[in-house]
Amino acid sequence: MSTFKQHSVLPGFNLALGFTLLYLSLIVLIPLSAAFIHTAKLSWPEFWNTVTAPRVIASYRLTFGASLAAATVNAFFGLLVAWVLVRYPFPGKRLVDALIDLPFALPTSVAGITLTAIYTGNGWIGQYLEPMGIRIAFTPAGVFVALTFIGLPFVVRTVQPVLEEIEQELEEAAAMLGATRWQTFRHIIFPAVLPALATGFALAFARAIGEYGSVIFIAGNIPMISEITPLLIITKLEQYDYAGATAIATVMLVISFTLLLFINLLQWQARRHNTKV
Amino acid sequence: MKFNAWLSVGSLAFVLASSGQAFADRIILNVSYDPTRELYHEYNRAFIHHWQEKTGEKISIRQSHGGSGKQARAVIDGVPADVATLSLAYDIDAISQQSGLIAAEWQKRLPGNSAPYTSTIVLLVRKGNPKEISDWDDLVKPGVAVMTPNPKTSGGARWNYLAAWGFALKKYDGDETKALEFLTRLYRNVPILDSGARGSAINFIQRGIGDVLVSWENEAFLALKEYGPDKFEIIIPSISILAEPPVTVIDKNADRHGTRDIAQAYLEYLYSREGQEIAAHNFYRPIDPDIAKKYAHQFPEIHLFTVNKIFGSWQEVQNTHFSDGGLFDTIYLQQESEF
């Protein structure tokens, strides 16, 4: 309590905190609590039956599995893209840099329709994959492709500024002390970008879990196979089952929040570890 | 004294409000389902003209389209629609029960169970009918890809499902287990479950996915009209369902907006000669016998059954087939365990 009384050098702490809390409540907390209140209309067994029905379980598996896979792939390739954009000059770099943000700006349904058109059996890419027995559109693989598409900028845009800040002198020093290129990357660069990479991963992952628009066109939406959890929520709403829909939403909310909290904790620890060294 | 003063202020405000309304055009909002876009586009123009001729008042009509269930939910959640023209009675019942905006006995207020036009479900195949599809039987054959949307989210898809169910019941002499088996085999041939009828139609027509589209009759005709009979053929099954898309005034909204007279006339005019002709132009089956005769060449004769005859009521249909844990769910759960 006494820490609150101490006046900081910066003015306006109380006012700023007040606004922060009000803003967070209006924008985030009140809508979210509405989900919990709607769910509360269900009895405990009803709630449990709704959120553990086989179709729902299958959809969690797809949503969280595909999101995790997509975020992992994005973490790897996003780091690569950011590295190339920061370290190497090449013609058209500005253009490539601007392209990265496209998945941010594009309406997700447009992304979904475009991806579907490309990957169906008679699409640009699909027509070559189909003879090889690879089907992307209307399968879980399509979900993964769409989630990878929308997640990429999150990793690139969080890692990029950190890479720009790294002092090249450190790498030079490492080289002079006899480190191999791999050792320089492993011990100098990677630890420095790891927290940013984790944030990018978490953002891409969180975004993928909630994604609806782009996935719905490419998924096929077959129960037990290619239905994502947000679709089940919509399905419940269309059947006027508000409580059931919010029950599933609540489960997603809790799982997502736990995962994000966990990732944030990891990140916090990594940062503390870094500063100690 | 004080009370009187307040009263006069109140009545003055009331007079101002009501006269203010008289200055602006009155507007009604029609909330409808997906495939009626073309129908109401034409009909709204005709009705505005008709209303001006009859009363001298210029009105405007706003029109909204979407999946039937989604539209009903929008009304429940507060979209200020004056009339609802949806795909199934169940969706209007839902508005009535969940929000109380519509009187419970709404379906008795207009002729023909409040359905001014009817339609049915037919099969659309690619030109030349390469998979030789002639009836519902052919949809369960291995290697036939069937396009139909998800009955949980699409009104049209429920009609599709029920039409196939009715066929199966007839084929197996009312044996429901065998009918369920038939539907399971049919849905095993469905590669994509779109959330709405338009989605399935686009996948079939524009993306070239699937061998047969289970479709509203009017949508099938529209596809022929737009893409040419050299691309698609309509196959009339031996038996199908009589779809009665109902219409109603949303009582409390219309009363609040002071638009009940327009809303009422708007729906009644659907039953007039002109309204029926417009429905027929847009490939809906008119219920007026004279107009129906005039357009008989357009609509093939199909043996049709009604929901009430085979299933009882929409509420029962919903409970047995489409609710969570209903027969439609078992189709997919079974399929999973057999893989």
Side-chain angles (χ1 to χ4, degrees):
Chain A
M1 212 44 218
S2 59
T3 49
F4 278 82
K5 288 269 165 69
Q6 261 173 14
H7 286 290
S8 137
V9 194
L10 289 170
F13 171 74
N14 285 332
L15 195 64
L17 183 69
F19 272 120
T20 305
L21 288 180
L22 179 71
Y23 191 71
L24 268 183
S25 309
L26 282 179
I27 304 287
V28 181
L29 291 179
I30 293 179
L32 288 189
S33 56
F36 284 97
I37 290 169
H38 256 294
T39 314
K41 287 181 188 150
L42 294 175
S43 71
W44 182 245
E46 276 173 338
F47 173 81
W48 189 247
N49 283 340
T50 307
V51 301
T52 57
R55 255 179 93 189
V56 182
I57 297 279
S59 83
Y60 296 145
R61 215 179 293 142
L62 177 64
T63 296
F64 287 100
S67 300
L68 192 69
T72 310
V73 167
N74 272 330
F76 181 77
F77 284 98
L79 179 61
L80 199 68
V81 170
W83 177 260
V84 168
L85 284 176
V86 169
R87 284 301 168 90
Y88 306 113
F90 58 93
K93 184 170 158 176
R94 282 280 170 84
L95 195 71
V96 174
D97 203 28
L99 274 179
I100 303 288
D101 283 331
L102 213 55
F104 270 150
L106 208 63
T108 50
S109 51
V110 175
I113 291 168
T114 318
L115 290 173
T116 312
I118 292 175
Y119 285 104
T120 48
N122 53 13
W124 286 353
I125 301 180
Q127 60 180 327
Y128 301 111
L129 294 177
E130 198 106 310
M132 293 188 273
I134 304 171
R135 287 187 57 221
I136 303 283
F138 314 121
T139 66
V143 178
F144 165 74
V145 168
L147 295 181
T148 311
F149 176 82
I150 52 134
L152 178 69
F154 289 93
V155 176
V156 179
R157 289 298 180 239
T158 43
V159 172
Q160 217 174 359
V162 177
L163 276 179
E164 277 165 0
E165 297 275 302
I166 292 182
E167 292 161 30
Q168 298 216 358
E169 288 86 347
L170 278 179
E171 290 163 47
E172 284 163 14
M176 289 175 79
L177 290 171
T180 63
R181 288 163 137 190
W182 167 248
Q183 280 172 329
T184 313
F185 177 77
R186 170 73 188 78
H187 295 288
I188 306 294
I189 299 169
F190 192 67
V193 295
L194 188 60
L197 192 63
T199 308
F201 173 83
L203 286 174
F205 182 56
R207 173 64 201 274
I209 290 172
E211 179 60 19
Y212 178 74
S214 62
V215 176
I216 230 56
F217 293 95
I218 202 169
N221 306 328
I222 302 289
M224 306 299 293
I225 298 169
S226 52
E227 252 183 346
I228 55 168
T229 314
L231 174 71
L232 276 183
I233 296 176
I234 300 273
T235 308
K236 296 245 180 234
L237 283 179
E238 310 262 286
Q239 296 176 90
Y240 314 111
D241 182 6
Y242 287 61
T246 46
I248 301 179
T250 306
V251 168
M252 278 192 87
L253 210 67
V254 169
I255 299 179
S256 306
F257 188 71
T258 316
L259 285 172
L260 289 177
L261 201 67
F262 179 68
I263 291 169
N264 274 336
L265 277 178
L266 277 184
Q267 209 185 319
W268 181 68
Q269 249 178 353
R271 202 170 283 153
R272 211 175 46 168
H273 180 76
N274 264 0
T275 47
K276 249 189 228 162
V277 173
Chain B
M1 196 53 207
K2 227 173 193 179
F3 174 74
N4 267 343
W6 277 116
L7 197 67
S8 52
V9 170
S11 51
L12 183 68
F14 179 72
V15 169
L16 281 178
S18 47
S19 62
Q21 215 159 28
F23 286 124
D25 284 357
R26 284 198 292 167
I27 301 171
I28 60 166
L29 171 61
N30 176 5
V31 165
S32 192
Y33 62 113
D34 252 336
T36 56
R37 275 167 222 271
E38 292 78 12
L39 165 66
Y40 281 107
H41 183 72
E42 191 179 343
Y43 177 76
N44 287 349
R45 252 187 301 176
F47 179 74
I48 289 171
H49 184 73
H50 164 78
W51 185 258
Q52 188 160 21
E53 233 165 47
K54 197 177 128 201
T55 65
E57 185 191 4
K58 215 174 144 292
I59 55 162
S60 28
I61 298 168
R62 285 191 296 148
Q63 188 65 45
S64 154
H65 295 278
S68 191
K70 190 179 283 167
Q71 294 290 70
R73 195 159 48 78
V75 174
I76 294 170
D77 289 343
V79 166
D82 303 278
V83 295
T85 53
L86 295 179
S87 157
L88 354 142
Y90 178 75
D91 287 326
I92 296 183
D93 279 338
I95 301 178
S96 171
Q97 286 159 15
Q98 307 242 338
S99 68
L101 291 171
I102 302 172
E105 74 306 330
W106 64 272
Q107 206 167 9
K108 300 207 179 76
R109 296 192 295 203
L110 286 167
N113 288 325
S114 286
Y117 40 76
T118 64
S119 193
T120 185
I121 302 299
V122 297
L123 309 172
L124 190 70
V125 298
R126 304 197 184 279
K127 184 69 196 171
N129 195 0
K131 297 272 168 135
E132 295 174 352
I133 285 153
S134 63
D135 205 351
W136 294 104
D137 283 63
D138 300 312
L139 303 192
V140 303
K141 284 183 185 158
V144 174
V146 182
M147 301 298 286
T148 179
N150 187 342
K152 295 230 173 191
T153 48
S154 156
R158 278 177 225 174
W159 291 109
N160 293 353
Y161 172 103
L162 296 176
W165 185 271
F167 169 84
L169 275 190
K170 191 171 163 239
K171 180 173 171 159
Y172 299 113
D173 292 322
D175 186 336
E176 296 212 344
T177 328
K178 286 205 168 132
L180 184 62
E181 217 172 275
F182 182 85
L183 267 285
T184 306
R185 269 156 63 206
L186 197 159
Y187 276 89
R188 194 168 298 176
N189 282 346
V190 177
I192 310 164
L193 273 185
D194 279 290
S195 61
R198 273 278 151 106
S200 283
I202 287 170
N203 273 332
F204 179 77
I205 293 166
Q206 296 182 355
R207 300 219 175 95
I209 301 167
D211 302 308
V212 51
L213 174 72
V214 187
S215 165
W216 285 107
E217 183 182 46
N218 60 297
E219 289 267 89
F221 275 118
L222 209 61
L224 281 199
K225 193 172 131 190
E226 265 179 41
Y227 295 91
D230 54 325
K231 292 249 169 52
F232 301 105
E233 279 176 36
I234 293 177
I235 303 292
I236 305 298
S238 63
I239 179 173
S240 193
I241 195 160
L242 177 69
E244 299 172 294
V247 301
T248 185
V249 173
I250 302 175
D251 299 288
K252 287 199 176 151
N253 286 351
D255 286 343
R256 206 176 55 222
H257 305 155
T259 49
R260 179 180 276 278
D261 53 335
I262 306 178
Q264 187 71 29
Y266 179 78
L267 297 183
E268 276 164 7
Y269 193 60
L270 279 169
Y271 290 85
S272 72
R273 279 195 74 88
E274 197 184 359
Q276 292 284 298
E277 293 250 1
I278 291 172
H281 286 163
N282 288 283
F283 310 110
Y284 283 89
R285 295 177 175 233
I287 62 160
D288 182 304
D290 290 342
I291 311 282
K293 205 175 280 169
K294 188 175 160 194
Y295 286 89
H297 62 281
Q298 186 177 308
F299 299 106
E301 246 177 73
I302 310 182
H303 181 67
L304 296 173
F305 60 87
T306 62
V307 169
N308 290 7
K309 197 175 145 213
I310 306 240
F311 303 96
S313 70
W314 268 109
Q315 196 58 55
E316 283 169 62
V317 170
Q318 193 67 25
N319 291 346
T320 10
H321 292 271
F322 304 128
S323 65
D324 283 342
L327 288 179
F328 181 73
D329 278 352
T330 39
I331 285 180
Y332 278 97
L333 295 180
Q334 267 177 7
Q335 197 171 333
E336 180 68 2
S337 57
E338 280 169 30
F339 275 143

